[in-house]
Amino acid sequence: MIGVVCLNPALDITHHVAAVDWAGVNRPSAVYARPGGKGLNVARTLRAIGAEVLVMGLAGGVTGAGVESALGELGVPAAFTRIRGETRRTFAVVDGRSGDSALFNEPGPRVGVDEFTAFSVMYEKALGGCAAVVLSGSLPLGLAADTYARLIEMGATAGVPAVLDAQGEAMALGAAARPAIVKPNLAELEAWAGRRLSTERGADRAAVAAAARELRAAGAQAVVASLGAQGLLAATEDGGWQAMPPAAVAGNATGAGDAVAAGLAHGLVLGRPWDERLRHAVALGTATAAAPVAGEFSPADYTSVLDAVTVHREEARR
Ligand SMILES: Nc1ncnc2c1ncn2[C@@H]1O[C@H](COP(=O)(O)OP(=O)(O)OP(=O)(O)O)[C@@H](O)[C@H]1O
Ligand SMILES: [Mg+2]
């Protein structure tokens, strides 16, 4: 089983309106509500590729209850610690006439120390049944920046490797706790390194590889940088690797990085060698970027991209 930590889940609500009137009453022609937040995307992708998962998160209020029941309907097992605050919602309003969409993302609840302690007790017990854990997304208000670092250390004590997909201080402190894999995207790696790693033509591979090696030296056992249509670049105990999708796709790339995190965790648990691990991770990312709905993919796309991904060792210094 793969444990997926989701400390700041959301209910993502989308309203489709024929022509938005910002001064009047609008009647959406279609309304969609689905559980969101990066961890839940990871869990859904893992379920879709047949992995056993357990979502571990914090949920509060009617929105938290809604997230829990929606996950149940999707067949995603979850153990939520109840909190006093209300789980956040995100609203997307899509204007059918202009094609524009506006996003409204609530900040989410402030989490109390007692609530995180209750979560930690549950997490520590659940680790006994986990082959790996994935820690994804932003931390809610009230939790210290070293929260992921602490969860990674608890995993290590229980012999459970961690995959970390976070940004800023949560990533920096988490990486120092020696997770098995850290997965920054280009912007996140640039922010950590404090310098540009790209040109007008896209990611500068040599610069990304150097920063990935530095992040590895800072504690991460492996670093897999995701570079959008330019695929993945990894610094691992087995050297540097590049994995490229066959072509850039145009769909909805939101959540493609979460699909990569899912593929990396799955490959870790299966003990796949790095080339195969990266091949699957790229194929899941690209299939997800090709699908019109954020975070979803068609299994047929996954299979066809998988055959066409190119993976090779990086020639530069290890
Ligand atoms: N336009 C694209 N064409 C082909 N593949 C893509 C494209 N965008 C993303 N991908 C695939 O998805 C992977 C992850 O994408 P990206 O680097 O954009 O992640 P991310 O920024 O972490 O995304 P998010 O945080 O929204 O989930 C890439 O490594 C690549 O395999
Ligand atoms: Mg990401």
Side-chain angles (χ1 to χ4, degrees), residues 68-297:
E68 277 194 82
S69 72
L71 276 180
E73 280 167 30
L74 292 168
V76 179
F80 281 99
T81 300
R82 299 298 299 180
I83 57 170
R84 293 177 290 276
E86 180 81 25
T87 290
R88 70 197 169 107
R89 294 162 299 179
T90 74
F91 291 94
V93 178
V94 183
D95 185 314
R97 186 174 46 187
S98 66
D100 288 341
S101 54
L103 281 175
F104 303 84
N105 290 352
E106 295 179 352
R110 177 171 289 275
V111 175
V113 175
D114 57 323
E115 293 170 327
F116 184 70
T117 303
F119 172 85
S120 301
V121 170
M122 185 275 298
Y123 173 80
E124 195 161 26
K125 276 200 200 114
L127 280 173
C130 291
V133 287
V134 183
L135 310 163
S136 267
S138 59
L139 293 172
L141 296 170
L143 292 191
D146 70 350
T147 296
Y148 283 145
R150 286 162 60 191
L151 296 177
I152 290 163
E153 281 159 7
M154 286 167 73
T157 304
V160 181
V163 176
L164 175 66
D165 181 1
Q167 51 182 301
E169 223 189 333
M171 176 180 83
L173 296 174
R178 300 194 45 75
I181 303 174
V182 178
K183 191 222 79 71
N185 65 17
L186 181 62
E188 290 157 356
L189 190 59
E190 285 182 327
W192 178 83
R195 59 180 193 267
R196 284 201 67 181
L197 306 171
S198 53
T199 65
E200 319 71 60
R201 294 194 308 283
D204 172 345
R205 291 180 177 285
V208 171
R213 284 193 298 264
E214 287 164 28
L215 183 50
R216 202 171 162 249
Q221 296 179 52
V223 174
V224 179
S226 71
L227 310 174
Q230 289 173 277
L232 299 175
L233 202 148
T236 79
E237 71 285 356
D238 188 25
W241 295 89
Q242 293 190 23
M244 283 289 289
V249 297
N252 184 339
T254 307
D258 305 332
V260 167
L264 293 173
H266 194 223
L268 173 69
V269 164
L270 294 178
R272 282 186 176 135
W274 272 104
D275 53 346
E276 278 308 297
R277 212 183 280 189
L278 295 170
R279 182 186 304 282
H280 281 270
V282 163
L284 279 170
T286 298
T288 301
V293 179
E296 297 190 356
F297 69 94

